[in-house]
């Protein structure tokens, strides 16, 4: 199994090109199940999760073809997906257990075929992560749902019908699932208290380009008037705001100065505000923005994760790694997932001073971290260890790098190009 070795101490300098968003690409790819017409997606990052999604869609009957890579990519970042016929309405356990986003095929399959059989994803490293809201929304749209042998079996033999559904809790995945399903339902669907993440806006804009009738895009109330069929479309995926924020924190921890090409500050307002409070400078440039910590101190700042536009849970671990080197204390509160502090024991092994009290972690900045052998437990936790390693003395060896490969494209290449001492050990 691959490992990544990092020797801390180098200040990051130069530029990093931000990839397309993983969390936007996955639902966008699933949208191809809604139509027999081609959907062309550009700026798709080439990550393990994207390959898993290709595998899942292929067994549902999607043909996936790739055009040559853009922006110096060896692999294609343009995918053409065509689902002339649905070959299978079952999403098998073997694929779903690897990637929770697989559950997004539930709504589109039942909307197009009147039935779907999707394995329940089960628990995962960052909490129990139920899918009850996905199910309740589809029931409101007229589907009957049963559980059979660990599978969600949804049926709507006469098609889904428009409905009003108020999410009792903001959910990104459930909003995406129901938004896609509603595009082919009969009549009008209103989704209230919908998640407003930029990835949902990206999905809604692509669906609109495919001929879906959606209003309220970017707000907490989405109104969808169902149509009989969708048409071919081409869509370019938004840049990955989590990758952007991750590199901003890597630059900050090394007191570096880097331009994040294609990075969009407007997708990261709450995180940028917190980083500015901590002493990091952001300047807009023609092709992205520059992030720098030139004038010394890194201040301890409190953060609480919230649905968008609040501080993203997907940047919590990275922010904590940064705060381990801050001056003073930082209280970090996780409100989205109940078990998302698995990076804490690993950071502690590197010399961080962190105490967990329920959903909050009190981080007291230390003057020095020391490299160690550490274990990645999930995607964002693993990259937080890489951030800590960049500012530690000595070598850090990161194990279970496959977590990192799910969401960061060529991380070691991007960091090495800015002067980091980092290598992948096969
Ligand atoms: C969440 C994050 C998203 C992040 C992704 C991967 C939020 C609001 N969502 O999206 O930003 O990119 O994880 O880390 O920050 N829930 C239920 N029932 C459901 C669905 C969700 O109770 O049917 C709960 C979850 O347990 C969680 C909360 O709602 O506490 C938000 O979950 P949701 O947004 O659906 O999770 P993801 O779509 O995975």
């Amino acid at each position: 199994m691959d490992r990544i070795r990092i020797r801390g101490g180098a200040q990051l300098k130069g530029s990093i090109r931000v990839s397309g968003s993983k969390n936007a690409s996955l639902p966008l790819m699933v949208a191809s199940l809604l139509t027999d017409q081609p959907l062309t997606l550009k700026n798709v990052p080439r990550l393990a999760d994207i390959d898993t999604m290709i595998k899942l869609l292929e067994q549902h009957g999607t043909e996936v073809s790739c055009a040559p890579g853009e922006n110096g990519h060896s692999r294609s970042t343009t995918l053409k997906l065509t689902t002339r016929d649905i070959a299978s309405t079952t999403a098998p356990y073997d694929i779903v257990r690897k990637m929770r986003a697989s559950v997004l095929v539930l709504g589109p399959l039942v909307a197009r075929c009147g039935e779907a059989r999707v394995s329940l994803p089960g628990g995962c490293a960052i909490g129990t992560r139920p899918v009850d809201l996905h199910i309740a929304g589809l029931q409101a749209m007229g589907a009957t749902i049963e559980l059979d042998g660990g599978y969600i079996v949804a049926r709507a033999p006469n098609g889904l019908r428009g409905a009003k559904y108020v999410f009792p809790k903001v959910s990104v995945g459930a909003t995406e699932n129901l938004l896609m399903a509603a595009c082919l339902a009969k009549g009008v669907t209103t989704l209230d208290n919908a998640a407003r993440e930029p990835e949902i806006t990206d999905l809604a804009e692509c669906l609109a380009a495919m001929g879906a009738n959606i209003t309220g895009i970017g707000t907490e109330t989405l109104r969808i008037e169902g149509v009989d069929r969708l048409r071919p479309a081409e869509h370019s995926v938004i840049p990955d705001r989590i990758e952007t924020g991750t590199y901003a924190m890597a630059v900050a921890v090394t007191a570096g100065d880097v331009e994040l090409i294609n990075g969009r500050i407007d997708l990261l307002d709450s995180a940028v505000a917190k980083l500015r409070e901590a002493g990091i400078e952001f300047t807009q440039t023609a092709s992205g923005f520059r992030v720098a910590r030139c004038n010394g101190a890194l201040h301890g700042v409190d953060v609480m994760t919230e649905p968008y536009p609040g501080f993203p849970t997907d940047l919590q671990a990275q922010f904590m790694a940064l705060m381990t080197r801050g001056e003073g204390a930082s209280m970090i509160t996780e409100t989205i997932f109940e078990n998302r502090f698995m990076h804490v024991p690993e950071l502690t092994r590197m010399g961080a001073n962190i105490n967990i009290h329920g959903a909050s972690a009190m981080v007291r900045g230390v003057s020095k971290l020391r490299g160690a052998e550490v274990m990645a437990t999930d995607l964002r936790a693993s990259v937080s260890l890489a951030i800590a390693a960049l500012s530690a003395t000595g070598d850090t060896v990161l194990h279970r790098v496959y977590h990192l490969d799910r969401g960061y494209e060529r991380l070691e290449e991007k960091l090495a190009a800015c002067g980091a001492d980092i290598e992948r050990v096969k």
Side-chain angles (χ1 to χ4, degrees):
M1 242 187 278
D2 289 7
R3 284 160 293 155
I4 285 183
R5 185 201 55 78
I6 300 173
R7 172 163 296 177
Q11 285 182 305
L12 299 182
K13 295 257 161 75
S15 64
I16 294 176
R17 186 178 288 278
V18 175
S19 299
S21 161
K22 167 180 88 77
N23 287 347
S25 297
L26 296 172
L28 284 165
M29 290 167 74
V30 171
S32 75
L33 294 178
L34 291 167
T35 171
D36 57 359
Q37 298 296 308
L39 172 64
T40 304
L41 298 175
K42 294 179 140 180
N43 199 33
V44 178
R46 294 317 302 257
L47 299 163
D49 273 11
I50 300 293
D51 291 338
T52 306
M53 184 56 87
I54 289 177
K55 234 167 116 186
L56 176 66
L57 292 176
E58 281 179 339
Q59 65 87 47
H60 287 308
T62 309
E63 276 172 36
V64 184
S65 65
C66 308
E70 301 142 342
N71 300 330
H73 263 267
S74 55
R75 298 183 67 193
S76 172
T77 53
T78 299
L79 301 182
K80 185 175 170 196
L81 306 119
T82 313
T83 317
R84 264 181 218 102
D85 298 297
I86 300 285
S88 159
T89 53
T90 298
Y93 176 65
D94 246 15
I95 301 184
V96 180
R97 74 184 165 82
K98 278 200 206 127
M99 186 182 65
R100 288 186 48 89
S102 309
V103 83
L104 293 174
V105 303
L106 182 67
L109 285 176
V110 74
R112 179 158 166 194
C113 306
E115 60 166 54
R117 216 169 151 262
V118 176
S119 172
L120 271 169
C124 82
I126 61 176
T128 47
R129 303 184 80 175
V131 289
D132 54 320
L133 307 178
H134 303 239
I135 290 175
L138 287 174
Q139 283 172 326
M141 294 168 78
T144 60
I145 311 259
E146 279 171 13
L147 288 183
D148 179 24
Y151 280 74
I152 308 165
V153 182
R155 287 194 189 89
N158 301 318
L160 294 172
R161 52 169 197 269
K164 182 173 168 57
Y165 185 69
V166 183
F167 290 96
K169 182 171 188 180
V170 177
S171 161
V172 175
T175 302
E176 291 165 343
N177 222 332
L178 300 182
L179 170 63
M180 288 191 276
C183 291
L184 295 183
K186 289 185 195 86
V188 173
T189 300
T190 311
L191 300 176
D192 235 327
N193 197 26
R196 289 183 283 160
E197 267 65 2
E199 294 75 21
I200 293 176
T201 299
D202 206 34
L203 173 65
E205 280 170 357
C206 177
L207 292 168
M210 293 163 74
N213 201 337
I214 307 172
T215 52
I217 295 176
T219 74
E220 60 177 32
T221 305
L222 293 165
R223 183 183 179 279
I224 306 108
E225 196 173 337
V227 293
D228 288 339
R229 57 195 310 258
L230 297 169
R231 52 177 186 253
E234 188 176 298
H235 179 83
S236 188
V237 179
I238 52 169
D240 197 311
R241 67 192 166 101
I242 305 302
E243 190 197 21
T244 309
T246 300
Y247 286 124
M249 294 185 212
V251 173
V253 86
T254 68
D257 184 344
V258 168
E259 183 178 12
L260 296 178
I261 303 195
N262 294 339
R264 278 178 53 184
I265 292 185
D266 63 310
L267 301 181
L268 266 176
D269 282 337
S270 56
V272 166
K274 286 294 173 187
L275 289 168
R276 282 192 165 128
E277 225 179 298
I280 322 302
E281 293 159 37
F282 290 83
T283 335
Q284 197 77 48
T285 61
S287 45
F289 65 87
R290 202 183 125 209
V291 53
R293 177 161 72 89
C294 302
N295 303 323
L298 176 66
H299 309 291
V301 171
D302 296 347
V303 147
M304 182 184 282
T305 63
E306 278 169 313
Y308 190 83
F311 190 96
T313 174
D314 279 351
L315 285 176
Q316 179 258 108
Q318 299 89 314
F319 193 79
M320 190 181 300
L322 176 63
M323 288 293 105
T324 62
R325 299 298 315 278
E327 272 177 19
S330 160
M331 173 80 94
I332 298 181
T333 305
E334 173 59 54
T335 73
I336 309 291
F337 294 112
E338 76 269 30
N339 185 22
R340 208 174 191 180
F341 285 141
M342 279 97 52
H343 40 289
V344 171
E346 299 302 298
L347 290 170
T348 305
R349 295 185 60 249
M350 298 175 72
N353 180 348
I354 308 172
N355 287 294
I356 299 179
H357 306 274
S360 295
M362 172 62 83
V363 186
R364 293 188 172 85
V366 294
S367 59
K368 191 171 174 175
L369 292 176
R370 285 198 179 80
E373 302 227 6
V374 287
M375 186 93 84
T377 48
D378 72 53
L379 170 55
R380 309 303 171 183
S382 58
V383 84
S384 79
L385 301 174
I387 291 176
L390 288 170
S391 85
T393 29
D395 279 6
T396 295
V397 178
L398 184 56
H399 294 262
R400 298 199 181 162
V401 168
Y402 56 86
H403 287 294
L404 212 136
D405 292 335
R406 291 187 54 187
Y408 291 91
E409 205 177 37
R410 298 176 293 138
L411 174 103
E412 65 277 18
E413 269 177 52
K414 291 187 184 190
L415 288 174
C418 291
D421 183 349
I422 179 170
E423 63 172 350
R424 183 176 288 253
V425 186
K426 295 275 178 193

